[in-house]
Amino acid sequence: MTSPTPFDSEIERNRREAARGSVNAMHDLAVGLRDRYRLLGDPADLLDGIAQLRTALGHVPDHPVRHPLRVGLSALLHDHFQHFGDVSALHEALAGCDASIPLLDGENRLVAAMVRAETLILLAEHTLDPAYVVEAVESASRLPRVPAAQYVLGKALHIRYELTHDPALLDDAARVLEESVLATPADDPLYVPRLSQLGNVLQRSAEHTGDESVRETAVRYLRDAMARTPSGSRALLDHKVDLGSALRDRGRKTGDVAALREGVALLREVLGATPPDEPGWANRCENYLIAVQDLVAHTGEIDVLDQAVEIGRSAPAGAGAPGMIPLLLGLLHNERFLHTGLERDLGRAIAAYTEVVEMVPYGGRTHAVALGNLGRVWFSEYGLSGGPEALHRSVTALGSAARASAPDTTERGEIQINHGGVLYAQYELTGDPGVLAASGRAFREAAGIEALQPLGRARAARAWAQAEAEAGRWDGARDAYAYAVGLLPLVAPRRLARVDQQRLLAELDGLAADAAASALRANDPQTAVRLLELGRGLLGGQVLQSRSDLSRLHAVAPGLAQRLGDAFGRLSPAGHLIGVAADERHDLDVRVRQLLDEARTLPGFADFLAPPDLDELLASAEDGPVVLINVSRYRSDALIVRPSGVTVVELPGVTPDSVAGQAAAFGAALAGAARPGAGETGAQATAAAVLGWLWDHVTEPVLRRLGYTSRPSDAWPRVWWSPVGRLALLPVHAAGRFPGGASVLDRVVSSYTPTLRALRHAGQRHCRADDDLVVVAVGDATGARPLRGVEREASGIAALTRATRLDGAAATADAVRAALTSHASAHFACHAASDPDDPSAGHLLLHDGPLSVLDVSALDLSGVRLAVLSACETSLGAPRVPDESLHLVSAFQLAGYPQVVGTLWQVNDLVARTVAVDLHTGLAAGEDAATALHHAVHRCRDRFDRTPTLWAAYLHSGR
């Protein structure tokens, strides 16, 4: 049964009057039927309305009212074409307008001219004949500047852009559509379609330019249009398609998986509500398939992909734009091949792309995209078979696609990335330096296309740098790597959920190390330090920037400082957000960038909250040298940073493979040492061997260069270690020849810092004068084995210093957060766990559940001094993103603690208690935290000198 509508009673009244021969009633009845059709989508109403107008025209063969009636019929014929796809309806509509306009005047003539322009727009969309759209633009441009006419002109300019790719047309379309929207009251029925059209034009503009602020405005408008549309309206499906497509673009460009999921869900919902025989089904199917491919590319969810393939296969032959459904099926099959390696999917992708290339004319966007993808899958075929014919076909197809694609577009960027890759493969076969240079040029062009997603641009810049390095042009390699590193803030912006940021940065693992090594090959150690600083600890750097002192700006521009501080405060690290909450976060991130740009235009503020310059980085080492240990395929070095400059110590025995091998051996040793039995002795010997390798190849050359060649006789010197990449997973501070040989522990007091910025920030933190301590002790957490030594550890510490206790059931997350704000120092004796897949989910296990890395990072504490994390794996980073230092120790530093003590792996309960009490004994005696820990670990090592896994886990981080 059809739901009642606001139009029903008026329709029935006019139907009765029309039955008596009233032409006016026939017209009004047709209008009511059209409005009900647009609400409910019942084609019977549409056909009835058209029949009523035809009848009315038959009653007035010579009367002047005939001409407005013909224009009204033309308007309904638009709906007929859009529902049934019969282009003859448009030609009839155009003929009706052409015949009527000369005989009309005033408002009727204006309406007729707008209907004519809209008819031309629909013909241009359907036929792709530019003559129609040129005529539509010219016709609409002659109309008076009233909201309805501006709306039509905006649509015409948009369609002209789609045919010409002239970005100026998008700007013009957005301008006139915005005028139309601003001049339309929000309660006017025409407000929503005009707002939606403006959102679509802005979205298209964002796709072309990569301008994030434009994209977020588009999403906001499209979501508003959807929210203002009644739930039973047929137009709601169109608005969901528009919003779903915009969210897909947001997800694709930024890596926001939540946006991709929301977009896919909206588009799938719309497709399910659209009859397959309706002309709009094909377009909605295309949008859905595109969104699924983007989602699966980020998540690998094959079940979602499989469902989309089945839906795409069900499309009638020839459905939609020429070649689009086969093209998208090719994309899905190729995506499945990339995730599963099934050769049949590769074959199906090749067949689909070949079909499209042969089907659509050369020079069009679809042809160029199909050619580019065909070249991509032929390259995959080459990777499987090694056959030179597949490589030749790949090079040929991608070269043709590059020539056919429009410059500065996403499609061009993606084609050039693939083109550069196949040219590099060809260079590897032939050794032709010209081919290598062509590969670098393709990558370089792609890296500079702002419409391309930032991750794609960064990958392209990295590949460009690798081509420069392969050619031995180290100055060029350094500059290309610097370009890639400079894109990292765009790859993982603040707006994203932390898990998305981690996933995207993992795609560029090792970039900072190779960038620094290329600078060293170019004999530029200062740039090497800067690139390491900019390329690591990005996520922590975002938090540090947001918590920087704004007082200098406040003194000059208090309102700007307030707005910036508020925006920073609402952009703390977060989990996934969807809907309006996600829109707000994306808007805030764009707003922060705009506010920073505004602040940097003020006199003396050009570098406001920018990464520190080299002098500031060197000054971070004022309390002792900082050793950046860089491992790269190009070379490995220790960069000793001191206020006076940078000293390079070459590490020829260190390579990425050797570090990976030592890390694997050490991991196996830790696992073996944790299992009592015959294998424990061998595991400890392996651990000792790894510590010996670290001493021989990494730390001893550094300490020798520093002049620390023996045990100090009085004050112990300090050294801060900052290992790069997977070396950060090993205990550099514990390197040495055991038992009985030389070691780092016998030469210096060691601390760590993830970056020089973090050390600089720690030195700027103000600590409270008091030294009160909160001890959090949870020995019996739900789901975890009991920690029998926790009570004795907490009691031993409390006996040494004034301490507040949060034990057992009192140690809830809320209570702990409150205690952290009111105590200068904190000691945790509890379970902890790391998560290699999602390092921000690593956590301390409290009485009522976990306190995660993400939770702690979001805290902003002032006046705090020291956090001791006497728990397992609190400083263990993730192998996928080792340069980000995502663990509990770094989280407490970001929360405000300038000094944190943590562990690299699981620790023994008895040893943990011994080291903790010994540490606090040293603190009570006036030692600084690093020295107190150093002596505590030293004594533990003397006691367990043949079992390094018991004592080597403990480290100090910070100032």
Side-chain angles (χ1 to χ4, degrees):
M1 181 177 178
T2 304
S3 302
T5 74
F7 312 109
D8 295 346
S9 60
E10 193 70 11
I11 284 173
E12 292 310 311
R13 187 184 69 79
N14 283 315
R15 191 181 297 281
R16 290 191 295 271
E17 294 297 317
R20 298 187 182 99
S22 169
V23 170
N24 286 336
M26 292 176 193
H27 172 269
D28 293 343
L29 173 58
V31 171
L33 290 166
R34 178 204 65 189
D35 290 341
R36 190 166 72 181
Y37 160 75
R38 290 180 177 176
L39 178 65
L40 300 178
D42 185 350
D45 281 337
L46 175 60
L47 296 174
D48 190 3
I50 290 173
Q52 293 294 332
L53 285 175
R54 291 194 192 282
T55 301
L57 286 166
H59 282 286
V60 289
D62 299 315
H63 194 279
V65 78
R66 176 179 181 82
H67 308 301
L69 288 174
R70 286 198 70 177
V71 174
L73 176 59
S74 294
L76 262 71
L77 289 171
H78 291 178
D79 293 285
H80 186 282
F81 164 73
Q82 290 171 315
H83 191 100
F84 295 103
D86 182 0
V87 73
S88 67
L90 292 180
H91 290 295
E92 182 184 353
L94 185 61
C97 290
D98 286 340
S100 299
I101 287 174
L103 304 171
L104 293 169
D105 55 18
E107 182 70 21
N108 286 333
R109 187 183 183 96
L110 173 61
V111 170
M114 289 191 294
V115 171
R116 183 179 187 274
E118 294 207 71
T119 306
L120 291 166
I121 291 168
L122 289 171
L123 281 166
E125 284 182 308
H126 180 73
T127 65
L128 302 181
D129 184 344
Y132 283 126
V133 74
V134 169
E135 189 177 355
V137 171
E138 290 176 351
S139 299
S141 298
R142 291 193 293 269
L143 298 172
R145 294 174 67 95
V146 297
Q150 294 293 85
Y151 172 55
V152 174
L153 176 59
K155 289 199 292 185
L157 290 166
H158 183 197
I159 298 304
R160 192 170 187 179
Y161 163 79
E162 294 296 345
L163 295 180
T164 65
H165 301 290
D166 180 356
L169 291 168
L170 279 178
D171 294 339
D172 291 342
R175 175 178 49 78
V176 297
L177 285 167
E178 186 174 27
E179 290 176 9
S180 176
V181 170
L182 291 174
T184 305
D187 58 354
D188 189 313
L190 295 174
Y191 179 79
V192 168
R194 292 172 186 175
L195 182 66
S196 177
Q197 184 65 34
L198 175 57
N200 284 324
V201 167
L202 291 174
Q203 172 58 28
R204 197 72 181 95
S205 179
E207 287 181 3
H208 183 91
T209 64
D211 189 325
E212 296 172 4
S213 63
V214 172
R215 183 191 306 117
E216 295 316 314
T217 301
V219 169
R220 186 168 65 252
Y221 288 168
L222 294 172
R223 197 182 292 281
D224 188 21
M226 190 179 79
R228 290 174 180 271
T229 305
S231 60
S233 172
R234 186 169 180 267
L236 183 60
L237 295 180
D238 293 326
H239 296 323
K240 286 182 177 180
V241 170
D242 295 338
L243 178 59
S245 299
L247 290 169
R248 175 202 68 83
D249 187 61
R250 172 196 281 176
R252 185 183 190 207
K253 293 291 172 37
T254 68
D256 185 344
V257 169
L260 287 171
R261 291 192 196 284
E262 186 182 1
V264 167
L266 283 169
L267 293 167
R268 181 70 183 90
E269 177 188 340
V270 168
L271 196 60
T274 307
D277 59 350
E278 189 174 305
W281 183 90
N283 178 262
R284 290 171 178 180
C285 181
E286 291 168 11
N287 278 287
Y288 167 66
L289 297 181
I290 293 169
V292 167
Q293 191 269 332
D294 284 326
L295 175 63
V296 176
H298 283 82
T299 66
E301 296 174 7
I302 300 300
D303 56 332
V304 177
L305 189 151
D306 290 344
Q307 184 183 45
V309 168
E310 291 306 311
I311 291 173
R313 284 177 176 170
S314 72
M324 277 304 296
I325 296 292
L327 174 66
L328 296 174
L329 282 171
L331 281 173
L332 294 177
H333 282 299
N334 186 49
E335 195 64 47
R336 187 157 60 189
F337 165 75
L338 294 175
H339 287 285
T340 67
L342 294 173
E343 291 187 43
R344 68 172 181 269
D345 278 309
L346 183 60
R348 288 170 178 168
I350 291 173
Y353 294 141
T354 302
E355 175 189 350
V356 178
V357 168
E358 294 173 351
M359 177 193 310
V360 299
Y362 179 83
R365 182 182 180 191
T366 302
H367 189 274
V369 171
L371 262 180
N373 283 298
L374 182 60
R376 181 185 179 197
V377 293
W378 275 121
F379 190 48
S380 295
E381 174 65 27
Y382 169 70
L384 283 177
S385 66
E389 178 61 23
L391 180 61
H392 174 71
R393 289 182 175 183
S394 178
V395 171
T396 301
L398 282 161
S400 297
R403 289 188 292 275
S405 58
D408 299 322
T409 60
T410 299
E411 291 82 7
R412 175 63 167 254
E414 292 173 346
I415 288 168
Q416 286 294 68
I417 287 174
N418 290 316
H419 192 204
V422 300
L423 287 172
Y424 196 90
Q426 191 175 52
Y427 159 74
E428 290 179 314
L429 276 182
T430 65
D432 186 339
V435 175
L436 177 63
S439 171
R441 287 194 297 271
F443 286 130
R444 182 174 186 168
E445 180 190 350
I449 295 177
E450 294 185 358
L452 192 63
Q453 64 181 128
L455 178 60
R457 294 180 64 197
R459 284 172 167 165
R462 186 179 200 173
W464 162 34
Q466 290 167 349
E468 292 290 307
E470 176 67 19
R473 294 189 290 266
W474 290 107
D475 285 352
R478 173 201 58 200
D479 295 343
Y481 271 120
Y483 190 89
V485 168
L487 291 170
L488 287 177
L490 301 179
V491 172
R494 288 179 178 85
R495 72 190 67 173
L496 293 184
R498 177 57 68 84
V499 68
D500 287 338
Q501 292 179 311
Q502 294 163 179
R503 175 178 49 78
L504 292 166
L505 291 174
E507 297 288 331
L508 298 169
D509 179 37
L511 174 63
D514 287 344
S518 71
L520 291 171
R521 292 293 297 265
N523 196 29
D524 188 356
Q526 289 78 18
T527 296
V529 170
R530 290 192 66 255
L531 291 175
L532 282 176
E533 195 63 20
L534 295 173
R536 300 186 304 143
L538 182 77
L539 304 183
Q542 290 175 350
V543 177
L544 295 181
Q545 184 192 48
S546 69
R547 293 173 184 172
S548 298
D549 186 4
L550 300 179
S551 59
R552 186 164 71 95
L553 179 63
H554 196 275
V556 175
L560 177 59
Q562 182 66 46
R563 293 195 301 274
L564 184 58
D566 290 344
F568 272 144
R570 294 159 63 192
L571 268 176
S572 59
H576 278 306
L577 298 172
I578 61 172
V580 175
D583 296 348
E584 181 184 12
R585 189 170 178 87
H586 281 261
D587 282 338
L588 276 170
D589 193 23
V590 172
R591 183 66 174 148
V592 162
R593 295 189 200 182
Q594 293 170 340
L595 291 171
L596 286 172
D597 288 342
E598 182 180 347
R600 289 166 183 165
T601 64
L602 298 173
F605 283 81
D607 60 350
F608 177 68
L609 296 191
D613 61 23
L614 182 64
D615 288 340
E616 291 174 303
L617 294 175
L618 298 181
S620 302
E622 62 185 357
D623 292 334
V626 180
V627 182
L628 311 176
I629 310 171
N630 193 56
V631 181
S632 165
R633 75 183 87 179
Y634 302 134
R635 58 182 287 169
S636 296
D637 303 87
L639 304 177
I640 302 174
V641 177
R642 288 175 283 201
S644 58
V646 182
T647 302
V648 179
V649 180
E650 295 185 26
L651 304 175
V654 181
T655 65
D657 286 345
S658 65
V659 169
Q662 294 296 324
F666 198 77
L670 291 174
R675 295 188 297 268
E680 187 176 1
T681 300
Q684 294 293 350
T686 299
V690 173
L691 296 180
W693 181 88
L694 283 171
W695 171 257
D696 292 341
H697 295 284
V698 179
T699 58
E700 192 279 333
V702 171
L703 295 180
R704 184 175 359 108
R705 179 65 63 89
L706 287 169
Y708 303 145
T709 57
S710 62
R711 186 184 181 106
S713 57
D714 44 21
W716 283 78
R718 293 282 303 276
V719 171
W720 278 262
W721 304 102
S722 187
V724 178
R726 282 163 179 73
L727 197 63
L729 305 176
L730 293 172
V732 173
H733 67 285
R737 284 291 175 186
F738 302 108
S743 70
V744 174
L745 272 171
D746 293 314
R747 304 282 175 86
V748 296
V749 171
S750 292
S751 294
Y752 285 85
T753 185
T755 60
L756 292 167
R757 281 169 297 165
L759 190 62
R760 176 172 172 262
H761 183 77
Q764 294 172 341
R765 300 295 292 189
H766 170 70
C767 298
R768 290 196 291 264
D770 54 355
D771 196 23
D772 54 327
L773 171 71
V774 59
V775 178
V776 180
V778 183
D780 195 13
T782 303
R785 64 177 178 81
L787 296 174
R788 296 183 177 84
V790 160
E791 169 57 29
R792 293 181 64 187
E793 179 176 332
S795 298
I797 294 167
L800 294 168
T801 185
R802 178 167 57 92
T804 300
R805 297 274 299 269
L806 287 176
D807 297 335
T812 64
D814 287 342
V816 167
R817 289 190 189 94
L820 295 180
T821 64
S822 57
H823 294 78
S825 298
H827 182 103
F828 288 85
C830 59
H831 275 292
S834 61
D835 186 335
D837 295 322
D838 179 8
S840 291
H843 58 270
L844 296 167
L845 191 54
L846 303 179
H847 174 75
D848 59 345
L851 184 69
S852 71
V853 168
L854 196 60
D855 296 331
V856 176
S857 299
L859 299 175
D860 188 6
L861 306 174
S862 61
V864 291
R865 181 189 304 275
L866 169 68
V868 179
L869 311 180
S870 182
C872 298
E873 301 179 345
T874 54
S875 189
L876 179 60
R880 292 173 60 247
V881 279
D883 283 339
E884 286 305 302
S885 298
L886 296 171
H887 44 63
L888 284 162
V889 166
S890 65
F892 273 87
Q893 286 187 280
L894 292 176
Y897 290 91
Q899 300 188 82
V900 186
V901 171
T903 61
L904 275 169
W905 54 83
Q906 293 186 4
V907 291
N908 177 275
D909 197 12
L910 172 62
V911 173
R913 185 182 79 227
T914 301
V915 170
V917 174
D918 206 353
L919 165 67
H920 282 278
T921 300
L923 292 172
E927 293 179 337
D928 63 85
T931 301
L933 180 68
H934 173 83
H935 291 316
V937 171
H938 212 294
R939 286 187 282 270
C940 189
R941 185 199 71 176
D942 291 344
R943 182 177 176 185
F944 303 108
D945 62 338
R946 295 185 181 276
T947 53
T949 66
L950 291 179
W951 51 265
Y954 296 91
L955 57 81
H956 173 271
S957 185
R959 178 65 71 179

